[in-house]
Amino acid sequence: MGYSFKKIEKKWQEIWEKRKIFRARFNPQKKKYYLLEMFPYPSGRIHMGHVRNYTIGDVVARYKILQGYNVLHPMGFDAFGQPAENAAIKNKISPSTWTMRCINWMRNELKRMGFSYDWEREISTCKSDYYKWNQWIFLKMFKKGLIYRKEAVVNWCADCQTTLANEEVIEGRCWRCKTEVIQKDLEQWFIRITAYKERLLKDLEKINYWPERVILMQKNWLGRSEGVEIYFKIKDLKETITVFTTRVDTIFGATYVVLAPEHPLVKKIIKGKTQEKEVLNFINKVSQKSKIVRTAKDVKKEGVFTGAFAINPVNNEAIPIWVADYVLMEYGTGAIMAVPAHDQRDFLFAKEHNLPMRIVIQNPDLSIQDPKELSEAYEGDGLQINSAEFNGLPNQQAKQKIADWMEQKGIGRRTVNWRIRDWLISRQRYWGTPIPIVYCDKCGVVPVSEKELPVKLPPRVRISGRGGSPLNHVKTFVQTKCPKCKGKARRETDTMATFFDSSWYFLRFCSPKHKTAPFNKKAVNYWMPVDQYIGGIEHAVLHLLYSRFFTKFLKDIRLLNFDEPFTRLLTQGMVLKDGEVMSKSRGNIVDPDSIIKNYGADTLRLYILFAAPPETEMEWSEQGIEGAFRFLNRVFRLLEIERGKNQPDLKLQRKLHRTIKEVTEDIESFKFNTAIARIMELVNQLYQVKDTDIYEAVRTTVILLSPFVPHLAEEMWQRLGNNKSILKTKWPKYDPSLLKEESITIVIQINGKVRSRIEVPSDITEDKLKELALNDLRIKSWIQDKPIKNIIVVPQKLINIVI
RNA sequence: GGGCAAGUGGCGGAAUGGCAUACGCACAGGACUUAAAAUCCUGGGUCCGAAAGGACGUGAGGGUUCGACUCCCUCCUUGCCCACCA
């Protein structure tokens, strides 16, 4: 029952489409607003997370349209990727057919939600007119030396049969299938994102409207840390071990050195030593372990002595060199100086293997001098001891002095270490952008020339899911001519990681059909940067960091005139059911389609916006849906209330204008839940007034509601006698003179507790107010004859009498 | 282990130094109806009290303030992010 949402929603969706109401036109005369939501992977069905994300965006888009902005609000599909291959194997259809089917299905679902997209700008990354430009950008980066191929220890997912970027390894597991990731030695393509690390860090300061925690996550991911590189000569060998430390103040306490098992010097220093075999066995054992086992908390740190010694350059002491699994090749130099008295990990390892300790920083609370008395490492500040000429200095000062001294003597150097690695982008997969590279026996690695783009993905490829890149088996693809010497050559068969595709799609939306470049420069410099970006927190590092990097690169090759792509970012909260994230594996999914069918898109939109503020998690409730539906019916019935004779009284006028003010401010600050609550209050009041002409009030209410429930608003708008779309009207303005009440309730407190309330004219003087308060009967009986110490008056609000 | 959020009625949530619990859900009562649904109206933190009214009350404890859900300190719980990061 209820209003006929099915008919109404269909009707307006057709009208919007027919009248091309959301078509965005390039127009430098008009102030632009680029609103973007993260485009979906076309899995086939939209889920509540999508609905929430896109509804939030749609409110902003429609609000900005009513504010008179030239709004760009596009949608597309992040269509390459592995699930399509898995589906292809399972359903015996090609990834392409499967993906296109999913896209069609999803586009329909999105349209049924009534979102204000300019569908003429739709893009799919799996189409060659899109991925051609992936290849083009790849070649530009290649030319600038930002793309290289090298053999490296890489993350390998045995289940997906492909490599993974560091960013795609979550807690030691594949981000997609959760299989434990192992390390493999492979030749792979990398993007030198590290060349941009300083700018990626520094420009975070320019970003003022992102959630603080996203900025922080990016900072942590870049992981800049200042320290000192120290050179340890190896005794009886012409080699040097370089270690990195942030605690150079503890150098005099270094009692051994540890190399990562993968460290290239290990094999050299054990050669011919009695320990050689034992060390090799140990290295072998460690390499068998997956990353998740190796970094597990409760696992004991293991290691072996190499038989070799290193010379501590500050005191020429010979200290033993160990190999241990707690030192990682990926971080720093893959070698550390161990200071067991002042580093808990070194402490535990030293205890386990009976290695010596030396205290060099005095703990001010605990004057232990004998390391045997230590129960744990002391990592705090204190005065230097056992540190030669630096004794007695506070360690933070000593840090600087020791670094200066080491630099002078050439035994160390200040340096900055970063956590971020270069970005591994090759995947041994079919459903992705072919890497535009050719291998020629004569000329070596040769980039495909721009004119030959796109290197098209061949259709009808057998995908087994096993045994490396499927493109390897496609002769017509692999066999090609060398772009340089025209001789026989072989194509690269790896494809690009799909994060490459999504790192610049927001630029393509500005001119999606542009033929001669990835985007039209004029269009992109008009629409960009994205004014408001909306999506999930899960992309806080991966996608957002890569997109920032692409933008900076494209600026450097003079295609863009800005270097940050997203001005504002909103990360929406997840949709929960029974306190848990909605997911297939938990079986607690609510299908948006069934809600649309039973209550309509407007009800779904209203509920999802009203249930919680956009940034926090929201709990799904079927009863909440009922409530939203009931409210919309109540709104719709406003049309049936007969027009009364009386003009709206001041009370209603004031309510109306206060509501305009509050709703406007709430939308601006993304407090949609309270914006809707304010409108509900207004509607409640419209039902209270009797025999009054509420036409104007209803008209305004409908506009205020239109960003949230656009179909219902359009229908009511039309029935109120308007023949143009409500989107062609203007957002209402409030009359400031109507915000002031003529009488207000003042709270009277005694010692901070509410004891009485009085109604007074709003322009009352302070003295008059005090007098009224003190003469209030209830207050009088509270005060009696107690002395009044103080009276605090908060204008328009309260008066506090201290006795 | 480090960092960042958050903790308010039976439930979702509101209030960011000034009336705690707006708005909605659920619940209860009433009106309409032959009846039900729908709709409309009313009620509601807890405890004491017949009532008027009072006491207590925003995870726990302390502090600042005339006044604290809000600011500060300590702790507890939950969530998220990072993590043998040298």
Side-chain angles (χ1 to χ4, degrees), chain A residues 88-154:
Chain A
I89 297 165
K90 206 174 140 197
N91 305 322
K92 299 200 165 65
I93 52 172
S94 75
S96 163
T97 313
W98 185 82
T99 303
M100 287 308 166
R101 239 183 242 176
C102 287
I103 287 175
N104 286 334
W105 189 268
M106 261 176 124
R107 188 192 303 110
N108 270 330
E109 286 195 309
L110 292 171
K111 282 187 177 175
R112 256 182 298 162
M113 282 300 297
F115 296 137
S116 57
Y117 299 126
D118 178 359
W119 284 107
E120 287 174 38
R121 288 177 188 257
E122 179 188 338
I123 55 177
S124 290
T125 56
C126 65
K127 291 188 178 165
S128 63
D129 65 353
Y130 184 86
Y131 70 71
K132 170 180 179 175
W133 303 109
N134 277 345
Q135 294 170 340
W136 188 89
I137 294 169
F138 180 100
L139 292 176
K140 293 286 181 206
M141 288 181 172
F142 187 85
K143 217 178 259 172
K144 289 278 173 191
L146 286 171
I147 291 194
Y148 64 95
R149 191 172 160 78
K150 75 162 185 199
E151 184 159 313
V153 180
V154 297

Side-chain angles (χ1 to χ4, degrees), chain A residues 543-561:
Chain A
H543 163 62
L544 291 173
L545 192 71
Y546 297 149
S547 298
R548 294 182 59 225
F549 161 66
F550 265 56
T551 303
K552 288 174 198 308
F553 167 72
L554 292 169
K555 189 195 178 195
D556 287 352
I557 61 169
R558 293 160 186 237
L559 291 176
L560 302 176
N561 63 9

Side-chain angles (χ1 to χ4, degrees), chain A residues 370-541:
Chain A
D370 183 358
K372 282 194 194 106
E373 291 173 39
L374 285 177
S375 60
E376 58 180 3
Y378 175 64
E379 298 182 340
D381 290 335
L383 300 182
Q384 300 280 143
I385 55 172
N386 297 323
S387 302
E389 66 248 56
F390 303 99
N391 281 340
L393 282 176
N395 69 308
Q396 291 300 340
Q397 263 182 51
K399 224 182 216 180
Q400 300 309 321
K401 293 238 161 107
I402 293 175
D404 289 341
W405 173 70
M406 291 182 87
E407 285 187 333
Q408 256 169 40
K409 289 187 65 180
I411 54 178
R413 189 173 65 85
R414 278 193 175 82
T415 181
V416 174
N417 196 52
W418 296 75
R419 205 188 81 107
I420 188 171
R421 308 282 99 179
D422 277 339
W423 173 18
L424 168 61
I425 57 149
S426 41
R427 298 289 181 275
Q428 292 68 50
R429 285 274 140 200
Y430 165 72
W431 195 231
T433 305
I435 291 177
I437 289 287
V438 163
Y439 299 100
C440 170
D441 285 341
K442 263 194 251 161
C443 314
V445 177
V446 185
V448 173
S449 85
E450 276 178 29
K451 279 175 291 180
E452 284 174 57
L453 297 183
V455 176
K456 277 201 183 175
L457 203 54
R460 287 182 290 279
V461 171
R462 261 192 57 202
I463 300 160
S464 63
R466 295 278 161 264
S469 177
L471 289 177
N472 264 329
H473 311 296
V474 186
K475 273 189 192 159
T476 50
F477 178 81
V478 176
Q479 293 172 357
T480 187
K481 273 191 277 178
C482 169
K484 247 190 208 164
C485 71
K486 308 292 171 204
K488 262 194 183 172
R490 192 173 54 81
R491 267 191 207 287
E492 170 65 62
T493 56
D494 281 358
T495 53
M496 295 183 200
T498 55
F499 276 112
F500 197 104
D501 314 359
S502 55
S503 297
W504 67 280
Y505 77 106
F506 44 90
L507 301 171
R508 185 71 181 165
F509 276 137
C510 299
S511 53
K513 292 174 181 113
H514 198 61
K515 288 261 170 21
T516 54
F519 44 81
N520 176 298
K521 244 171 119 171
K522 253 196 197 156
V524 109
N525 286 326
Y526 169 65
W527 290 112
M528 286 292 293
V530 172
D531 294 273
Q532 179 70 56
Y533 199 25
I534 306 172
I537 185 76
E538 65 272 21
H539 293 110
V541 268

Side-chain angles (χ1 to χ4, degrees), chain A residues 633-651:
Chain A
N633 278 296
R634 194 168 149 84
V635 171
F636 201 71
R637 280 195 307 272
L638 283 172
L639 293 173
E640 292 162 16
I641 296 177
E642 272 186 45
R643 268 201 213 192
K645 294 189 284 291
N646 301 328
Q647 282 305 301
D649 59 5
L650 261 180
K651 201 178 152 211

Side-chain angles (χ1 to χ4, degrees), chain A residues 596-621:
Chain A
I596 297 173
K597 215 181 267 165
N598 294 329
Y599 300 94
D602 281 340
T603 294
L604 178 54
R605 294 169 60 119
L606 186 79
Y607 167 68
I608 222 160
L609 294 166
F610 181 60
E615 301 211 62
T616 60
E617 298 177 333
M618 66 161 283
E619 175 70 29
W620 181 263
S621 145

Side-chain angles (χ1 to χ4, degrees), chain A residues 82-83 85-86 89 155-164 172-184 427-429 463-470:
Chain A
Q82 213 162 323
E85 287 185 44
N86 299 339
I89 297 165
N155 304 303
W156 178 263
C157 173
D159 192 60
C160 301
Q161 290 272 308
T162 190
T163 53
L164 297 171
R173 294 171 185 275
C174 171
W175 71 301
R176 189 175 282 123
C177 69
K178 312 284 181 230
T179 306
E180 282 185 17
V181 170
I182 55 168
Q183 305 298 306
K184 230 182 166 176
R427 298 289 181 275
Q428 292 68 50
R429 285 274 140 200
I463 300 160
S464 63
R466 295 278 161 264
S469 177

